[in-house]
């Protein structure tokens, strides 16, 4: 063992044996934004064997405030985040095998990436992908660590298929708002706090110290100094469609996935979401972003050069573009 990891191996819960295990483990990281870059750097510096990074986006100036690994040069070159991250991570630790995928993650292209993975870390920005991850990890029996943050608040939970409640159970026990960084902003310490919880749990799993894992959902607000640890073990349900006795893995079924289509001749993209949208709650989140109009049936927002019309049944029309990719990004920015 060289001196590179000497301070880490001095920590008894890891030690030389734990470091050897780390060097043989493969982590799948989905999302390479604020949570993703910080998680990636910590894993690579810790000396894992292989890291697979998935992200669909490219580096923009607004990312640099909180997304580690990226530089102004990456922004000027409009590098895909996965590629920019791989370049930087390779410079940090060339002994780690890093695989980068520039793609819009879905139930089809994610499937082969779950083979031979020891841990999945959530660094995504929307619940469509999280539900897909939730189903896949239970199919493949791979642990995963959920994390989210917005404003000064964040949360994290560790899912062990077969032992803990899954994301479906979690959200029924502790519903999460659809607030996003684009509508509420975010401060960098919030990101770092979530990553600290995620990375600590990740190290425990990778060195196989399962008895030390935190069983509670942790939530916090760094600005108002509030921390809560919520015991949700009893939230696990035998009838759950993902982790119950007879799983059907609903997020992997086509009819339950968010669908997008161009409306011919209208310069509009229609998005059919998978959940009901509370218009009153959405209005409060979006009112500061542009001119807002609302009736009992729908919500209309003038945002940048677009008009976004949100229906209560989850359907959204994005006027002003015929690009599925542009519409998708706007949808996740505004709807969450």
């Amino acid at each position: 063992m060289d001196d590179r990891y000497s301070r880490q191996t001095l920590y008894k819960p890891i030690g030389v044996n734990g470091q050897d295990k780390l060097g043989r483990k493969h982590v799948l990281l989905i999302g390479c934004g604020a949570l993703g870059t910080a998680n990636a750097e910590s894993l690579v510096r810790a000396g894992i064997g292989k890291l697979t990074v998935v992200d669909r986006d490219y580096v923009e100036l607004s990312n640099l405030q909180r997304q580690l690994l990226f530089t102004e040069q990456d922004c000027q070159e409009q590098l895909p985040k996965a590629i920019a991250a791989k370049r930087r991570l390779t410079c940090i630790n060339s002994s780690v095998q890093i695989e980068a995928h520039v793609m819009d993650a879905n139930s089809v292209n994610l499937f082969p990436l779950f083979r031979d993975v020891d841990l999945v870390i959530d660094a995504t920005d929307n619940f469509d992908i999280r539900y897909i991850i939730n189903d896949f990890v239970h199919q493949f029996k791979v642990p995963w660590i959920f994390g989210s943050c917005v404003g000064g608040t964040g949360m994290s939970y560790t899912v062990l298929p077969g032992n803990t409640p899954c994301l479906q159970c979690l959200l029924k026990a502790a519903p999460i708002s659809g607030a996003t960084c684009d509508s509420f902003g975010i401060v960098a310490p919030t990101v770092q706090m979530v990553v600290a919880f995620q990375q600590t749990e990740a190290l425990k799993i990778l060195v196989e110290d399962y008895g030390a894992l935190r069983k509670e959902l942790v939530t916090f607000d760094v600005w108002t100094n509030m921390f809560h640890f919520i015991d949700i073990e009893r939230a696990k349900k035998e009838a759950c469609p993902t982790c119950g006795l007879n799983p059907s893995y609903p997020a992997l079924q086509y009819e339950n996935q968010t669908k997008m289509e161009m409306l011919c001749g209208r310069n509009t993209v229609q998005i059919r979401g998978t959940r009901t949208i509370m218009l009153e709650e959405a209005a409060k989140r979006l009112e500061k972003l542009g001119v807002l109009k609302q009736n009992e049936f729908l919500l209309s927002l003038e945002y940048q050069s677009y008009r976004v019309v949100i229906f209560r049944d989850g359907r959204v029309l994005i006027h002003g573009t015929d690009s599925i990719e542009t519409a998708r990004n706007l949808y996740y920015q505004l709807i969450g």
Side-chain angles (χ1 to χ4, degrees), residues 97-305:
Q97 181 183 351
I98 300 170
E99 192 174 286
H101 294 269
V102 182
M103 66 184 195
D104 186 23
N106 56 50
S107 60
V108 176
N109 58 26
L110 278 180
F111 177 79
L113 301 185
F114 277 81
R115 297 192 182 99
D116 302 318
V117 166
D118 298 292
L119 172 67
V120 178
I121 294 183
D122 166 39
T124 62
D125 61 0
N126 70 84
F127 276 91
D128 288 337
I129 298 302
R130 286 183 176 126
Y131 279 126
I132 289 172
I133 296 171
N134 189 52
D135 279 0
F136 271 140
V137 297
H138 283 83
Q139 273 195 343
F140 285 86
K141 309 301 180 189
V142 179
W144 78 295
I145 304 172
F146 163 78
S148 70
C149 53
V150 64
T153 65
M155 64 174 58
S156 179
Y157 183 66
T158 302
V159 176
L160 297 178
N163 293 294
T164 66
C166 74
L167 184 67
Q168 295 266 11
C169 302
L170 169 64
L171 294 185
K172 289 179 181 177
I176 298 170
S177 114
T180 69
C181 297
D182 293 89
S183 57
F184 273 74
I186 190 167
V187 290
T190 308
V191 176
Q192 298 304 315
M193 187 67 74
V194 173
V195 172
F197 282 112
Q198 287 186 301
Q199 278 300 296
T200 305
E201 294 294 280
L203 286 173
K204 295 174 188 176
I205 290 171
L206 295 173
V207 303
E208 301 174 12
D209 188 3
Y210 294 101
L213 287 169
R214 171 176 37 80
K215 296 181 180 180
E216 299 86 4
L217 164 71
V218 59
T219 68
F220 62 84
D221 188 319
V222 294
W223 205 262
T224 60
N225 307 304
M226 292 193 302
F227 281 82
H228 299 284
F229 292 87
I230 305 169
D231 184 355
I232 62 166
E233 284 190 273
R234 287 181 291 181
K236 185 173 174 60
K237 304 298 182 185
E238 291 185 351
C240 175
T242 294
C243 70
L245 297 178
N246 298 293
S248 59
Y249 306 119
L252 304 182
Q253 299 171 15
Y254 177 78
E255 61 271 19
N256 294 327
Q257 296 174 12
T258 296
K259 300 174 183 64
M260 306 188 185
E261 62 181 335
M262 291 184 294
L263 300 185
C264 186
R266 294 183 58 185
N267 197 31
T268 298
V269 174
Q270 175 175 264
I271 302 174
R272 292 192 181 95
T274 59
R275 65 188 188 277
T276 299
I277 296 176
M278 301 300 294
L279 295 182
E280 297 76 13
E281 179 185 311
K284 292 178 182 177
R285 290 193 287 108
L286 300 174
E287 60 184 356
K288 66 181 98 172
L289 296 183
V291 177
L292 198 66
K293 296 180 180 179
Q294 182 180 4
N295 59 38
E296 62 180 302
F297 307 105
L298 58 84
L299 185 69
S300 177
L301 171 70
E302 300 292 336
Y303 179 68
Q304 297 176 357
S305 60

Side-chain angles (χ1 to χ4, degrees), residues 59-61 64 67-77 79 84 88:
V59 182
E60 298 181 273
L61 190 62
L64 303 184
Q67 298 183 16
L68 306 182
L69 302 180
F70 304 142
T71 67
E72 291 181 353
Q73 184 66 33
D74 297 329
C75 181
Q76 290 168 8
E77 295 179 16
L79 278 181
R88 176 62 177 158

